[in-house]
Amino acid sequence: MVIVMKSNYTPQQLEEVVKTVQAHGLTPHVSHGVETTIVAVIGECHTIPSDPFEALEGVESVKRISQPFKLASRQFLPENSVFPIDGFRIGGEEIVLIAGPCSVESRDQILKTAHAVRQAGANALRGGVFKPRTSPYSFQGLGEEGLEYLAEARQQTGMPIVVEITSQTQLDLMLKYVDVFQVGARNMQNFNLLRALGEIRKPVLLKRGMSATIEELLMSAEYILAGGNHHVILCERGIRTFESSTRNTTDINAIPVLKRLTHLPVILDPSHATGHAEYVPAIARAAIAAGADGLIVEVHPDPAKAFSDGKQSLKPETFAEMVRQVKAIAEAMGRRIAPVHSLVQVA
Ligand code: PEP
Ligand code: MN
């Protein structure tokens, strides 16, 4: 059961709701969002009538949710969640394109990529500065230096920046620079990190773990939502299967399944899902045809020289061609690509 408070509720009314929940032997979990305050009722509440809660002052509505992911479920919010990200909205009719290198490698590399992907139609710039690498001897990312280059790229192109966070110790530093926090596949169940991201009020792009079920992904999203951060974007990025001809196997089913189970925006990462630049455009097209709200794609000006994930990175011109194809599919689906940002300052 989830109790939604009215926008003008008083602290006394909230306290009364909390006490009433406790009086029924249940546990209240209060979540203060920007727009709404919600009390999720934890425990066996299916036999308890909702009338005593509905009658309380300050209560807007009481919803019964059978799914274990309460705030993420469509039962809680039947309409799509649509929210702004610096210049565009995600989750609505518009398809959002996030593009950029796997890792920020140098000022020149990120500025060049940022201008190229914006020119091709990207709405946001990606770039990792804390890289989760299988080997401790591989390039680990530029850290704060990389964030400064990304901020410069944002200043020049107007595009918000999407950066992976791998530990909550990076949060204070990243809050100064980052527009969208990416949680990578390896951290999907880093519950302390998820809780920390529930406390902030910037969007979180949550990637599916490589061996995680759809329900586990939604339970991870629930950690962030329960903290009061309602701006969560889900990302399918391929799962591990017995198939070895691609890096991962794109679970295209996850797109319609997630769209049915949750109101949150759902995007797809065809780069990590396939591991080969050659297959990226096909899977990008499939994602939009399946109903995804956007894509996150790795693009590098010289993939052969990339410090990480060069094999799966598109050249800017291939990305531009992919955007043209995706645009046609979006239109066939009755949707459109979000418009690009106006240049703030030419390099
Ligand atoms: C990345 O986006 O570069 C990345 C590490 O992705 P994932 O967490 O999906 O492997
Ligand atoms: Mn990568």
Side-chain angles (χ1 to χ4, degrees), residues 102 126 131 272 298 309 312:
C102 178
R126 65 150 288 153
K131 294 307 299 178
H272 293 86
E298 288 185 340
D309 287 349
Q312 66 193 35

Side-chain angles (χ1 to χ4, degrees), residues 264-284:
L264 296 171
V266 179
I267 68 167
L268 189 131
D269 173 347
S271 311
H272 293 86
T274 61
H276 294 266
E278 194 187 336
Y279 308 138
V280 167
I283 300 307

Side-chain angles (χ1 to χ4, degrees), residues 13-298:
Q13 290 169 342
L14 179 63
E15 205 182 307
E16 199 49 42
V17 170
V18 165
K19 278 194 196 144
T20 312
V21 170
Q22 288 165 336
H24 283 83
L26 302 164
T27 311
H29 178 96
V30 181
S31 156
H32 295 282
V34 177
E35 294 107 28
T36 38
T37 289
I38 288 154
V39 184
V41 181
I42 319 296
E44 288 297 316
C45 44
H46 51 273
T47 52
I48 295 173
S50 50
D51 313 20
F53 301 101
E54 272 158 6
L56 292 172
E57 279 185 60
V59 170
E60 174 73 41
S61 60
V62 179
K63 303 183 186 208
R64 288 196 176 274
I65 295 160
S66 53
Q67 304 279 22
F69 42 90
K70 306 287 173 199
L71 307 179
S73 81
R74 268 226 193 260
Q75 290 172 328
F76 174 62
L77 216 75
E79 300 294 314
N80 286 338
S81 272
V82 184
F83 49 84
I85 304 180
D86 214 356
F88 57 86
R89 294 170 75 74
I90 189 160
E93 243 173 61
E94 289 180 347
I95 305 278
V96 167
L97 302 177
I98 306 167
C102 178
S103 306
V104 178
E105 299 167 4
S106 68
R107 178 174 177 270
D108 183 58
Q109 174 244 18
I110 196 66
L111 293 182
K112 208 185 254 176
T113 315
H115 284 281
V117 298
R118 182 202 155 273
Q119 185 83 29
N123 309 110
L125 178 68
R126 65 150 288 153
V129 302
F130 300 110
K131 294 307 299 178
R133 304 305 300 278
T134 303
S135 164
Y137 310 118
S138 300
F139 176 63
Q140 302 286 309
L142 292 183
E144 185 165 14
E145 185 188 345
L147 291 171
E148 280 177 0
Y149 299 151
L150 281 165
E152 196 176 343
R154 176 182 49 206
Q155 208 231 325
Q156 291 187 9
T157 62
M159 289 188 294
I161 56 176
V162 181
V163 190
E164 179 170 356
I165 180 165
T166 55
S167 156
Q168 59 268 53
T169 58
Q170 297 150 357
L171 192 56
D172 286 345
L173 169 71
M174 290 181 75
L175 275 168
K176 290 191 258 169
Y177 297 92
V178 173
D179 300 297
V180 179
F181 283 82
Q182 177 178 323
V183 176
R186 291 155 192 82
N187 275 304
M188 189 203 86
Q189 288 190 318
N190 181 340
F191 300 116
N192 290 327
L193 179 61
L194 299 176
R195 270 190 221 283
L197 292 169
E199 297 299 317
I200 66 167
R201 294 296 175 263
K202 285 192 176 185
V204 176
L205 194 172
L206 177 64
K207 288 184 136 194
R208 180 179 180 181
M210 55 189 94
S211 306
T213 63
I214 289 173
E215 183 167 313
E216 285 165 343
L217 170 63
L218 290 167
M219 292 309 294
S220 289
E222 192 74 14
Y223 268 85
I224 304 168
L225 299 170
N229 184 355
H230 298 156
H231 294 175
V232 178
I233 305 157
L234 302 171
C235 180
E236 164 61 36
R237 46 77 73 206
I239 50 173
R240 280 232 166 126
T241 67
F242 52 80
E243 182 52 67
S244 58
S245 52
T246 49
R247 182 176 180 183
N248 291 293
T249 296
T250 311
D251 181 8
I252 203 79
N253 297 356
I255 306 289
V257 172
L258 283 167
K259 292 303 290 182
R260 189 174 89 83
L261 294 177
T262 179
H263 52 86
L264 296 171
V266 179
I267 68 167
L268 189 131
D269 173 347
S271 311
H272 293 86
T274 61
H276 294 266
E278 194 187 336
Y279 308 138
V280 167
I283 300 307
R285 297 193 300 267
I288 302 307
D293 298 302
L295 297 166
I296 178 165
V297 184
E298 288 185 340

